[in-house]
Amino acid sequence: MKSLIIAEKPSVARDIARVMKCSKQGNGYIEGSQYIVTWGLGHLVELADPEAYNPEYKQWKMEHLPLLPDPFKLMVIPQTSKQYAAVKSQLHRKDVDEIIIATDAGREGELVARLILKKAGCQKPIKRLWISSVTDKAIREGFAHLKDGREYKDLYDAAMCRAEADWLVGINATRALTCKYNAQLSCGRVQTPTLAMIAKREKTIRDFIPQPYYGLQAKNTSLSLTLTWQDSTSKRNYSFDRQRIECLLNSLSGKPALVDEVRRTPKKMLAPLLYDLTELQRDANRRFNYSAKETLNIMQRLYENHKVLTYPRTDSRYLSQDIVPTLKERLRACSIGPYKIPAGHLISQPLPQKLFFVDNGKVSDHHAIIPTEQFVQLDHMTVDERRIYDLVVRRFLAVMYPPYEYEQTSLTVKIGEETFLAHGNIVKHQGWKEVYETDTQKDLWESEQESELLIVKSQKLPPLKKGDSLPKLTLSMTQGKTKAPSPFNEASLLSAMENPVAYLESGNHELAKTLGETGGLGTVATRADIIEKLFSSFLLEKHGKDICLTSKARQLLELVPEDLKKPELTASWEKKLSGISQGKLKRNVFMADIRKYSQSLIRQIQTAEGTFRHDNLTNTKCPICGQRMLAVKGKNNEMLVCQDRECGHREITSRTTNARCPVCHKKMQLRGKGDGQIFVCSCGHKEKLKAFQDRRQKEGAGVTKKDVAKYMNQQKKEAQEPLNNALAQMLSGIKLDDPKA
């Protein structure tokens, strides 16, 4: 008899098959003497569409709502039905007596396999492979310690509850809003609070009134001192009272300056913690302007194809104790190229007894992202892969280096009765900062924003002691204006989604704690998709790097029920889902509450007063149905979309390309249709497509005829795809809401 192994993706299946000595290729599987390996393509089975319960539900009508199926039906995803059939045939083989689930080690990975088993009607015994990297060593060790599948029944129940709850709330609320306002509107427990956070930030910026503030400086050729005083809560070096500062300037001018105190304090700074996915996405966005989705895709290639980094979808920045014995082997694996010297330094000496980045209590499903024991070939990586790999490896090396040590000198000077301060640092030992080669990299872990009101900048201080007199000091008044918070970009939006406690309205400390423990809105694995979906639904648009709400999103937030705008909903759900996964809460109790909540949402939407108005209508008529089209802005393009959601016709009018302007080297937009297409740059440069192709051909670099043809075909395909087919858009809206939460 044989064991059937179900992997989540073909690449992982091939790795497992090689390690378990399976080499016979079949239709959707690889077979060996003891094991058969098959795979999904992510999900092969999902919850059925509404029309599976009643054909009438294909039409979106308010009288059909709420939809409350019990039990839920499953459907095979049409695009991957061929692979499902292959997996099903292997499940029912008479020589297979055991199933080994080898999908991703997490809640959603469990759901991927269990839905296949349920749809196929397979009742054979289950074992579970639980690993965090797909190196040969990790696979062998995982198979040596297979778990009983029954241990993960509660995890599966929690995943199923999440899927069914999102179906009930998302489909019912989306259909109700769309039917009531005759506009393509979708909502859910993750996407809507995310929009609400952006709206709150935009309101704060709009309502912000800059306030002038004033300070006092004392300078000579070698020293700059800042007036500082203690108020009721902390030290300040500014005042909003101009008259007060002017009076001090007049009264202190010409008075002697005496050194009151010179304090030298030794300081140590540990390296920043290892990366989880969200922190890596933030850094990649700040340094390389990668979107969260791009970073995740790059990480996935480094994990699955190159096998040089561990599982990317992790929310932990710590390692568990069992990883510590493997650290030296991982160091040897990445000891090449620019990492050879810093890694070699660590290999040649014992690791510290106590490692601050090792904590079993702070590791749930997966530990932080670190290099694997796999030998690295940098020349096989793309530029993007090298950049992300570099971030992870340097952070991995840094945490094992000694602390950065410096002596902080604080100089206190008295002029009259007022206190002036100056700070200076003397580096004693570079420690982990040796791992980073450039100032940009050294600043990576610093806070994104520092309050200009509170900084006394570090400087090189002259040798002084208490009682010394400081001659020739010139006093001057400084001034500035308070600044509004910055608009969200992808890095800061990821941070807000990870920690949305500041946006809780209830003040409930227990819910705040739950949000902190469960990772906020969405999961590390799904936030990138959520942001991308908000762009593709025309709820968000970009102005430079800034993320802004569209008119459609602002109106949606006015129409959607209040509960769906609050992070508290996700916090409440996650607390209960966590209880289900731990066996503390019954699945049927949670689902009964969700059904009642779905009914309440429908009543709120049906009785609400409000209207939706398309304020982006153009005079261009849809060539399919003749209605006026809407001008919308996607993440990287502008297009015309038919206002009739059942028609769904769209035309791309402008698209940001990778073609660079010959004048300023910024990315250009491609506008127009057919032979009349033209590249336009923000600097004013314009160039017809034909002229661009001729120029690039003469330059002998960049875009080839094949590249241009491929690009044009892709653009044509996208322009012809229906944008808002009713069912497709509804499902898209639902998947937006955290499929892995």
Side-chain angles (χ1 to χ4, degrees):
M1 300 299 284
K2 296 184 178 183
S3 299
L4 178 67
I5 302 166
I6 304 177
E8 191 158 330
K9 294 180 179 178
S11 58
V12 178
R14 285 192 294 270
D15 294 330
I16 292 174
R18 178 172 42 76
V19 173
M20 306 313 291
K21 301 189 175 358
C22 302
S23 56
K24 181 183 174 184
Q25 296 283 341
N27 178 26
Y29 68 93
I30 309 171
E31 188 168 355
S33 59
Q34 186 179 352
Y35 297 100
I36 305 163
V37 185
T38 188
W39 55 87
L41 300 165
H43 279 282
L44 298 180
V45 176
E46 63 184 1
L47 296 179
D49 300 333
E51 53 264 36
Y53 303 94
N54 186 334
E56 290 184 4
Y57 294 163
K58 193 166 187 178
Q59 298 295 318
W60 290 32
K61 295 182 179 180
M62 189 70 86
E63 55 264 32
H64 293 157
L65 304 178
L67 303 174
L68 302 170
D70 188 17
F72 276 86
K73 294 181 180 180
L74 299 178
M75 62 175 279
V76 177
I77 298 172
Q79 295 90 329
T80 56
S81 58
K82 185 177 178 182
Q83 182 58 26
Y84 169 77
V87 175
K88 182 179 178 180
S89 67
Q90 299 306 304
L91 285 170
H92 291 295
R93 277 176 53 162
K94 292 182 179 179
D95 60 341
V96 170
D97 66 346
E98 176 186 70
I99 310 300
I100 299 174
I101 295 177
T103 48
D104 286 351
R107 192 163 74 188
E108 195 67 16
E110 195 70 23
L111 189 64
V112 168
R114 298 278 188 156
L115 289 183
I116 294 171
L117 296 177
K118 186 176 180 180
K119 181 65 176 172
C122 180
Q123 301 291 330
K124 294 176 181 179
I126 297 171
K127 287 187 178 176
R128 187 58 159 105
L129 176 73
W130 197 270
I131 55 177
S132 61
S133 63
V134 287
T135 62
D136 292 4
K137 180 181 178 183
I139 293 169
R140 279 192 291 269
E141 289 180 353
F143 273 93
H145 301 91
L146 288 173
K147 311 285 186 182
D148 189 323
R150 288 172 292 188
E151 295 178 24
Y152 298 90
K153 172 66 167 56
D154 291 335
L155 184 68
Y156 163 58
D157 282 345
M160 201 66 192
C161 282
R162 193 279 312 152
E164 291 177 359
D166 275 340
W167 193 101
L168 288 170
V169 171
I171 282 186
N172 280 302
T174 294
R175 286 196 169 203
L177 285 167
T178 301
C179 293
K180 183 173 177 68
Y181 300 107
N182 192 29
Q184 183 188 313
L185 302 173
S186 65
C187 64
R189 67 177 178 96
V190 176
Q191 75 171 69
T192 316
T194 301
L195 292 174
M197 290 194 303
I198 300 171
K200 188 172 182 179
R201 174 67 62 88
E202 288 186 349
K203 184 178 186 306
T204 302
I205 294 170
R206 282 196 308 273
D207 295 346
F208 185 81
I209 300 174
Q211 279 187 281
Y213 62 88
Y214 309 93
L216 204 56
Q217 276 192 340
K219 282 186 177 183
N220 62 19
T221 55
S222 60
L223 186 63
S224 177
L225 297 151
T226 304
L227 173 67
T228 306
W229 59 87
Q230 186 82 30
D231 63 12
S232 58
T233 55
S234 61
K235 285 186 177 180
R236 292 196 305 155
N237 61 2
Y238 67 95
S239 173
F240 294 112
D241 186 346
R242 180 185 184 116
Q243 189 174 0
R244 178 185 181 185
I245 298 298
E246 287 177 340
C247 288
L248 284 172
L249 175 61
N250 293 330
S251 63
L252 297 178
S253 294
K255 287 191 176 180
L258 297 176
V259 176
D260 185 59
E261 182 183 28
V262 180
R263 180 181 297 175
R264 293 181 174 85
T265 309
K267 297 271 188 179
K268 289 185 179 181
M269 184 193 295
L270 291 172
L273 281 167
L274 296 163
Y275 281 118
D276 63 5
L277 179 58
T278 302
E279 181 68 11
L280 183 62
Q281 287 169 323
R282 278 195 292 259
D283 278 358
N285 181 257
R286 284 196 290 259
R287 290 199 58 199
F288 310 120
N289 200 27
Y290 293 157
S291 70
K293 185 67 174 177
E294 286 173 325
T295 301
L296 177 56
N297 289 341
I298 295 166
M299 264 299 307
Q300 201 68 32
R301 295 199 298 271
L302 291 167
Y303 165 67
E304 287 184 5
N305 302 342
H306 297 283
K307 303 176 183 53
V308 293
L309 295 181
T310 56
Y311 186 68
R313 293 176 170 87
T314 176
D315 59 359
S316 177
R317 300 184 66 184
Y318 291 83
L319 301 181
S320 50
Q321 195 65 47
D322 61 315
I323 301 296
V324 175
T326 71
L327 293 179
K328 285 294 180 79
E329 191 173 351
R330 295 172 193 270
L331 286 168
R332 281 189 281 271
C334 64
S335 180
I336 61 165
Y339 321 115
K340 191 167 187 177
I341 293 175
H345 176 73
L346 293 169
I347 293 168
S348 64
Q349 55 185 304
L351 294 173
Q353 290 289 322
K354 189 174 181 181
L355 299 169
F356 73 94
F357 55 90
V358 176
D359 188 337
N360 286 0
K362 294 182 178 178
V363 178
S364 53
D365 291 344
H366 299 284
H367 57 69
I369 300 169
I370 58 173
T372 65
E373 303 95 326
Q374 182 85 16
F375 175 71
V376 179
Q377 292 180 288
L378 295 177
D379 56 341
H380 288 187
M381 295 182 191
T382 65
V383 172
D384 295 335
E385 290 166 350
R386 280 285 304 272
R387 286 172 169 173
I388 298 300
Y389 182 74
D390 182 76
L391 287 178
V392 175
V393 172
R394 290 190 189 276
R395 183 66 64 93
F396 175 66
L397 297 173
V399 295
M400 286 182 277
Y401 263 68
Y404 168 67
E405 297 181 26
Y406 62 99
E407 183 180 79
Q408 185 182 76
T409 303
S410 178
L411 178 65
T412 304
V413 174
K414 287 284 188 180
I415 303 178
E417 296 298 318
E418 300 298 331
T419 301
F420 287 73
L421 287 182
H423 291 158
N425 294 335
I426 299 173
V427 177
K428 295 295 185 182
H429 182 53
Q430 283 284 348
W432 58 268
K433 290 196 177 186
E434 292 177 12
V435 173
Y436 293 89
E437 296 172 345
T438 67
D439 290 336
T440 303
Q441 288 172 317
K442 286 180 182 178
D443 291 339
L444 194 58
W445 53 86
E446 299 291 345
S447 170
E448 281 188 71
Q449 294 179 345
E450 294 179 326
S451 171
E452 76 277 9
L453 304 182
L454 301 175
I455 297 301
V456 177
K457 292 183 179 178
S458 180
Q459 57 189 297
K460 187 174 181 180
L461 301 179
L464 294 167
K465 60 182 184 298
K466 185 173 181 177
D468 284 353
S469 175
L470 296 175
K472 299 181 180 177
L473 280 177
T474 303
L475 290 174
S476 61
M477 185 172 72
T478 59
Q479 65 182 67
K481 284 188 177 181
T482 55
K483 294 179 181 178
S486 299
F488 279 119
N489 54 37
E490 284 213 32
S492 57
L493 182 57
L494 283 168
S495 298
M497 292 175 74
E498 183 182 43
N499 186 26
V501 173
Y503 299 88
L504 289 177
E505 296 181 10
S506 64
N508 188 314
H509 295 295
E510 192 175 347
L511 289 180
K513 183 181 177 184
T514 301
L515 271 177
E517 291 172 349
T518 56
L521 292 172
T523 67
V524 291
T526 59
R527 288 185 196 117
D529 284 329
I530 290 165
I531 293 172
E532 291 296 317
K533 288 285 186 182
L534 289 171
F535 277 109
S536 64
S537 301
F538 311 118
L539 295 168
L540 295 181
E541 60 187 18
K542 269 193 173 182
H543 297 165
K545 287 188 177 182
D546 296 341
I547 293 175
C548 305
L549 295 181
T550 62
S551 169
K552 178 181 177 180
R554 293 189 190 96
Q555 292 186 77
L556 174 64
L557 288 172
E558 292 294 322
L559 303 173
V560 78
E562 283 297 317
D563 275 358
L564 282 178
K565 293 190 280 188
K566 299 176 182 177
E568 282 93 333
L569 180 64
T570 283
S572 173
W573 281 26
E574 283 299 335
K575 185 177 180 182
K576 292 174 182 176
L577 291 171
S578 177
I580 294 169
S581 67
Q582 296 168 17
K584 297 176 182 177
L585 179 67
K586 295 296 182 185
R587 159 180 160 75
N588 59 342
V589 174
F590 174 77
M591 290 309 302
D593 288 343
I594 294 298
R595 290 174 190 280
K596 290 177 185 175
Y597 180 64
S598 300
Q599 291 172 315
S600 141
L601 280 178
I602 297 302
R603 286 194 296 269
Q604 289 180 58
I605 294 172
Q606 286 174 332
T607 58
E609 295 181 2
T611 56
F612 183 88
R613 181 175 62 87
H614 290 299
D615 57 2
N616 54 345
L617 276 173
T618 68
N619 290 323
T620 304
K621 297 288 183 71
C622 173
I624 307 299
C625 68
Q627 295 199 54
R628 289 167 67 190
M629 299 182 76
L630 308 173
V632 296
K633 198 172 183 180
K635 189 174 184 181
N636 296 305
N637 56 32
E638 295 175 9
M639 62 181 75
L640 294 173
V641 179
C642 181
Q643 62 174 299
D644 186 341
R645 62 186 177 86
E646 304 238 343
C647 172
H649 177 72
R650 67 175 178 178
E651 299 174 7
I652 294 177
T653 58
S654 173
R655 186 184 188 94
T656 302
T657 71
N658 287 323
R660 298 282 178 171
C661 172
V663 179
C664 68
H665 305 295
K666 291 180 181 177
K667 289 183 178 181
M668 295 190 292
Q669 286 193 320
L670 185 60
R671 298 178 181 173
K673 296 181 183 179
D675 295 336
Q677 289 184 97
I678 185 170
F679 283 103
V680 178
C681 180
S682 57
C683 74
H685 174 76
K686 294 182 180 180
E687 189 172 15
K688 288 186 177 180
L689 177 61
K690 181 67 169 63
F692 169 81
Q693 293 171 349
D694 293 343
R695 175 172 63 82
R696 296 300 283 165
Q697 192 171 16
K698 287 177 183 177
E699 291 171 355
V703 181
T704 64
K705 285 185 178 179
K706 186 176 179 181
D707 293 331
V708 173
K710 184 178 178 182
Y711 171 79
M712 299 303 294
N713 287 335
Q714 178 65 24
Q715 185 190 38
K716 184 178 179 182
K717 180 182 175 184
E718 289 180 0
Q720 291 174 347
E721 286 176 352
L723 176 67
N724 46 6
N725 169 279
L727 175 60
Q729 186 60 31
M730 176 273 290
L731 293 175
S732 170
I734 303 314
K735 288 179 182 176
L736 183 57
D737 283 18
D738 197 12
K740 290 195 175 183

